[in-house]
Amino acid sequence: MHAMRLNAPHTPLQWTELPDPEPGPGQIRVKVGACGVCRTDLHVVDADLPFPGHSLTPGHEIVGRIDAIGPNVTDLHIGQRVGIPWLGHTCGHCHYCETGHENLCDHPLFTGYTRDGGYATMAVADAHFTFPLPEGTDDVATAPLLCAGLIGWRSLVIAGKEAQTVGLYGFGAAAHIIAQVALWQGRKIYAFTRPGDTRTQDFARSLGATWAGGSDELPPEQLDASIIFAPVGALVPAALKSVHKAGRVVCAGIHMSEIPAFSYDLLWEERQLVSVANLTRQDGVDFLELVPRVGIRTKTTAYPLREANRALDDLRHGRFEGAAVLVP
């Protein structure tokens, strides 16, 4: 097999030939059809997340077909189309696993970070942490659903059913997916982009956003909730300003730059500031069941696997709309 490997933080990924991995008990091996490029991958490469101390293959928005099955796997089969997400394994016995919060497991493994991921021609995953996918959909279009879609869905759920006007800060892969869900649910979307990014603002309006503007602007009305996808701490006080009394601000990223000091009156009047971490398997089941009903369409830019470094740099500098996807 071949993979784009990260050998040290702040270095380009290297095209590497490796032995074909063999699935162990409870595992499957997937021939990768496509792997999305997520901002979390940038946080891994740029060492915003602690480097695990060994070479690794990034990528956790994996779509492929099973080509090998390890012992004790009974509910999946060779040739089946599956998706592999960020949360790759949990211990099953810590307080969080036992109380329905496996996304907060004390001893997890994360695909493309603490275990090898999908910037490769093959990937191994725990069978219980994969999602069966329907036939007849495109691998490239499906890949961003496995993280951008999932974390967007969890964020929207945490924003609350009562939130009928929702701001989205950072209108990239996650926001352009979850905006479609929110609009299908009858909510109104307000999109915040980099100041002056009229192209992305037009993209948001084309999807049905009620309003789109720069993150340095206030929306034309106070909102019920805002979700921050961009990893920019300065957006926290900005988002708090965007919501009315009792409004909720959801921080959806795994990493964010430092949050500047802000006046308590931005939080007062029962405004809430919460974060989202990872996902549960039930989040995946719920969201993927919704996808065909909503008719979600992802906007993607495909790159050959060997050009993973270019895809990451294009993501870093906002050179495309929607999501980037690697194709072996």
Side-chain angles (χ1 to χ4, degrees), residues 5 9 19 28 37 75 80 85 121 127 140 142-143 146 173-174 205 221 231 238 244 252 288 312 328:
R5 299 280 285 177
I28 59 168
V37 179
D75 54 348
Q80 187 170 1
T121 55
V140 170
T142 301
L146 271 299
R205 292 188 196 96
E221 62 175 314
H244 56 57
L288 292 172
L312 286 165

Side-chain angles (χ1 to χ4, degrees), residues 35-38 41 56-62 84-86 110-113 115-119 123 326:
C35 183
V37 179
C38 179
D41 301 334
L56 63 96
T57 303
H60 57 273
E61 296 179 324
I62 306 169
I84 302 171
W86 168 251
F110 297 115
T111 309
Y113 180 41
R115 72 184 327 170
D116 284 337
Y119 286 17
L326 300 178

Side-chain angles (χ1 to χ4, degrees), residues 32-312:
V32 177
C35 183
V37 179
C38 179
R39 187 162 293 276
T40 300
D41 301 334
L42 271 184
H43 295 320
V44 172
V45 170
D46 294 344
D48 296 323
L49 300 179
F51 186 66
H54 55 77
S55 297
L56 63 96
T57 303
H60 57 273
E61 296 179 324
I62 306 169
V63 177
R65 292 189 181 274
I66 299 172
D67 75 343
I69 293 178
N72 306 322
V73 177
T74 59
D75 54 348
L76 298 172
H77 58 82
I78 299 292
Q80 187 170 1
R81 187 168 181 256
V82 295
I84 302 171
W86 168 251
L87 186 64
H89 175 83
T90 59
C91 70
H93 56 73
C94 70
H95 166 76
Y96 300 102
C97 287
E98 290 182 344
T99 57
H101 302 283
E102 65 180 5
N103 59 307
L104 302 177
C105 174
D106 283 331
H107 308 286
L109 291 175
F110 297 115
T111 309
Y113 180 41
T114 54
R115 72 184 327 170
D116 284 337
Y119 286 17
T121 55
M122 291 181 176
V124 167
D126 284 16
H128 290 313
F129 287 83
T130 61
F131 299 114
L133 296 175
E135 299 291 342
T137 57
D138 179 70
D139 287 353
V140 170
T142 301
L145 302 177
L146 271 299
C147 184
L150 288 174
I151 207 67
W153 169 247
R154 186 171 180 86
S155 300
L156 186 63
V157 169
I158 289 178
K161 291 182 180 179
E162 68 282 0
Q164 292 301 301
T165 54
V166 181
L168 303 178
Y169 283 79
F171 204 83
H176 97 284
I177 292 171
I178 210 58
Q180 296 174 61
V181 177
L183 291 164
W184 177 80
Q185 292 175 332
R187 311 189 201 211
K188 294 166 67 177
I189 289 298
Y190 295 73
F192 298 83
T193 72
R194 291 183 177 94
D197 187 357
T198 56
R199 184 183 69 173
T200 302
Q201 292 165 19
D202 289 342
F203 176 48
R205 292 188 196 96
S206 75
L207 291 177
T210 296
W211 175 90
S215 59
D216 57 344
E217 300 177 56
L218 287 173
E221 62 175 314
Q222 285 191 301
L223 309 177
D224 297 329
S226 283
I227 302 171
I228 303 175
F229 292 111
V232 181
L235 293 178
V236 170
L240 285 169
K241 289 178 183 178
S242 77
V243 299
H244 56 57
K245 291 182 284 189
R248 184 174 296 173
V249 172
V250 181
C251 299
I254 194 171
H255 170 81
M256 183 178 278
S257 60
E258 287 194 7
I259 300 171
F262 58 86
S263 173
Y264 176 65
D265 63 339
L266 292 182
L267 186 62
W268 191 56
E269 295 176 314
E270 300 193 355
R271 292 175 180 86
Q272 300 173 50
L273 178 63
V274 299
S275 69
V276 168
N278 313 314
L279 64 134
T280 67
R281 283 171 285 182
Q282 191 60 49
D283 291 327
V285 171
D286 293 344
F287 174 68
L288 292 172
E289 188 274 334
L290 270 183
V291 168
R293 293 168 58 195
V294 176
I296 291 174
R297 293 188 176 184
T298 55
K299 184 172 180 61
T300 58
T301 300
Y303 297 77
L305 177 60
R306 281 182 176 267
E307 295 186 20
N309 290 308
R310 180 166 69 91
L312 286 165

